Amino acid sequence: MYSTTETIFYFWKNFVQIVLIMILILSTLNILLDKKYKALNFRINTFGLIISFIQFVISLIFIFLRININFDLFKNIVLSFLAIVFIFIGWSLHSLQNTSRKKHFRIFIFYLAGLLFIFFRD
C-alpha cells in the first residue's frame, strides 16, 4: 500500500508542478502581450487551484503513512499548506481586480510563490 500511495503522490506532485508552470508561462505571455483576461484563463487558473488542493490532501495522506516521524514531517505539512494558501490568495485576489493586466499579474505572483513552496517541500 505504501508503494501505491508513493506512486500516486509523486504523480500528482509532478502533475501539479507542470500545470502551475504552464499557468505561469501563460500569465507571463498575457502580461507581456497585454491580452484580455478571458473565461479560458479563469478555467485554467481554477483547475490549477483544484488540483493543487487535491495534491495537498494526497500529500497529507502520504506524509501520515510514513513510518518515521521527524522534523521533515512537520516541515512538509507547513510548506504544503503555505503553497495552497498562496495559490488560493492569488486566485481570490485576481477576481477583485478590474484590469486584465492586474489579474494576470496577481495570478503570476501568487502561483509562483505556491510553486516555489511545492518545489522546496521535498
Side-chain angles (χ1 to χ4, degrees), residues 3 14 17 20 34 36 53 63-64 71 84 93 100-101:
S3 65
N14 292 333
Q17 288 174 352
L20 289 179
D34 203 26
K36 290 197 64 82
F53 184 74
I63 287 169
F64 284 120
F71 178 71
I84 290 299
L93 285 179
S100 294
R101 188 176 183 94

Side-chain angles (χ1 to χ4, degrees), residues 3-121:
S3 65
T4 305
T5 309
E6 186 177 14
T7 304
I8 293 170
F9 168 74
Y10 285 114
F11 168 77
W12 271 99
K13 181 181 175 191
N14 292 333
F15 181 62
V16 168
Q17 288 174 352
I18 290 169
V19 169
L20 289 179
I21 289 170
M22 290 173 57
I23 289 172
L24 291 175
I25 291 170
L26 181 67
S27 64
T28 303
L29 289 175
N30 289 335
I31 290 170
L32 293 176
L33 300 176
D34 203 26
K35 291 192 175 188
K36 290 197 64 82
Y37 189 82
K38 298 180 183 176
L40 179 64
N41 298 111
F42 179 76
R43 290 181 186 128
I44 292 171
N45 296 333
T46 305
F47 179 70
L49 174 69
I50 291 169
I51 65 167
S52 298
F53 184 74
I54 291 170
Q55 195 263 340
F56 172 67
V57 172
I58 291 171
S59 69
L60 283 179
I61 292 169
F62 176 69
I63 287 169
F64 284 120
L65 285 179
R66 286 186 176 174
I67 295 171
N68 55 352
I69 297 176
N70 53 16
F71 178 71
D72 290 336
L73 173 79
F74 298 109
K75 180 187 82 163
N76 288 338
I77 292 172
V78 168
L79 290 177
S80 297
F81 182 72
L82 285 175
I84 290 299
V85 166
F86 272 90
I87 291 171
F88 182 74
I89 288 172
W91 187 84
S92 298
L93 285 179
H94 97 279
S95 62
L96 300 175
Q97 302 303 317
N98 295 330
T99 62
S100 294
R101 188 176 183 94
K102 285 185 179 180
K103 286 183 184 236
H104 292 300
F105 189 69
R106 297 296 188 264
I107 289 293
F108 177 78
I109 293 297
F110 286 99
Y111 276 49
L112 177 65
L115 181 65
L116 290 176
F117 280 121
I118 290 173
F119 277 145
F120 291 130
R121 188 181 66 216

